[in-house]
Amino acid sequence: MDDTGAGTADGALPHPHEPHDEGLAARLNWLRAGVLGANDGIVSTAGLVVGVAAASTDSSAILTAGVAGLAAGAISMAVGEYVSVSTQRDSERALLSKEKRELAEEPEYELAELTQIYRAKGLSAETARQVAQELTAHDAFAAHAEAELGLDPHELTNPWQAALSSAVSFTIGAILPILAILLPPTQWRIPVCFAAVLVALALTGSVSARLGGSNPRRAVLRVVIGGALAMAVTYGIGQLAGVSGL
């Protein structure tokens, strides 16, 4: 390894299995969000179709409820994500504009501020000053945005992309319980749907946990219990509604 600890003698990273690319981290976050969106689609739609199936054996009623739930959920997820990310992006742009203005009006103060940031991270005063000067010479705006705000001004989140991702992932998840409740014979609909949904939830829980670096067993247990509880509650409501004729 060289004296900086940045790599081995042949230039390779000492731990190649660890992600060191910020773009990779962003992609993993998007993937994790997609898995969670699919999980929402599975649970909410499964609860809806199981509840209707408990009250009625009419396939058209179950299909209508499932498709309506899918459409409403996907649109709701997309709109919510769009509004949330747009608000976040507006805040980020405001902060970046302020930083750009400060760099233009007070460059020496900003250089001293950047130097202090690197000193706080453990660098000596001389090294921190040199790092700040070199980064400022290369791209002052990007250097300050990253160090002070934790932002990359060239890679702000796109609200349209976030909205589309949420809608698509929710839709994919919602399709499973609809098919699982409609394809089997009437007497097997609810048991098959329960089984298919719990298996799917175990899969999404495991994937999201591994992407986040957490314990897969705990994540799987949480989502499976939550999904089973949601379906049990809606099944009970559907049974009561069917018995009472509501």
Side-chain angles (χ1 to χ4, degrees):
M1 181 179 293
D2 60 25
D3 59 357
T4 65
T8 58
D10 61 0
L13 289 172
H15 302 289
H17 61 284
E18 296 178 356
H20 295 274
D21 178 70
E22 292 182 3
L24 175 60
R27 289 192 294 273
L28 288 176
N29 284 335
W30 277 110
L31 181 57
R32 185 159 58 248
V35 171
L36 294 175
N39 186 81
D40 288 342
I42 293 170
V43 174
S44 60
T45 308
L48 182 60
V49 296
V50 165
V52 175
S56 171
T57 59
D58 186 353
S59 297
S60 62
I62 298 172
L63 177 61
T64 300
V67 172
L70 183 157
I75 293 171
S76 176
M77 290 281 290
V79 171
E81 195 71 14
Y82 178 83
V83 171
S84 175
V85 173
S86 294
T87 301
Q88 176 186 336
R89 184 165 176 150
D90 289 344
S91 298
E92 291 172 347
R93 283 175 169 170
L95 290 171
L96 290 171
S97 295
K98 180 174 180 290
E99 191 62 38
K100 184 177 290 186
R101 184 173 63 253
E102 290 175 348
L103 281 168
E105 296 174 354
E106 302 175 297
E108 286 303 317
Y109 176 84
E110 289 298 306
L111 178 60
E113 186 178 34
L114 189 60
T115 300
Q116 185 57 38
I117 289 173
Y118 286 109
R119 285 203 66 187
K121 291 183 177 181
L123 298 182
S124 67
E126 182 180 351
T127 303
R129 180 76 176 182
Q130 182 179 354
V131 170
Q133 288 175 332
E134 291 185 8
L135 289 175
T136 298
H138 175 68
D139 189 338
F141 181 48
H144 282 265
E146 189 278 329
E148 293 185 41
L149 308 175
L151 298 174
D152 183 341
H154 307 297
E155 292 187 8
L156 297 182
T157 306
N158 186 328
W160 288 107
Q161 183 182 28
L164 180 61
S165 175
S166 294
V168 169
S169 62
F170 185 95
T171 299
I172 292 173
I175 289 173
L176 173 69
I178 294 175
L179 295 177
I181 202 78
L182 289 175
L183 294 180
T186 302
Q187 67 273 22
W188 288 103
R189 280 177 175 171
I190 292 176
V192 169
C193 186
F194 259 85
V197 165
L198 295 183
V199 170
L201 289 177
L203 178 61
T204 60
S206 176
V207 171
S208 64
R210 292 181 187 282
L211 289 174
S214 59
N215 189 323
R217 183 175 300 177
R218 292 179 182 175
V220 168
L221 194 60
R222 282 196 296 265
V223 296
V224 168
I225 291 176
L229 182 61
M231 289 188 290
V233 170
T234 56
Y235 175 80
I237 294 173
Q239 283 280 69
L240 290 174
V243 171
S244 62
L246 295 177

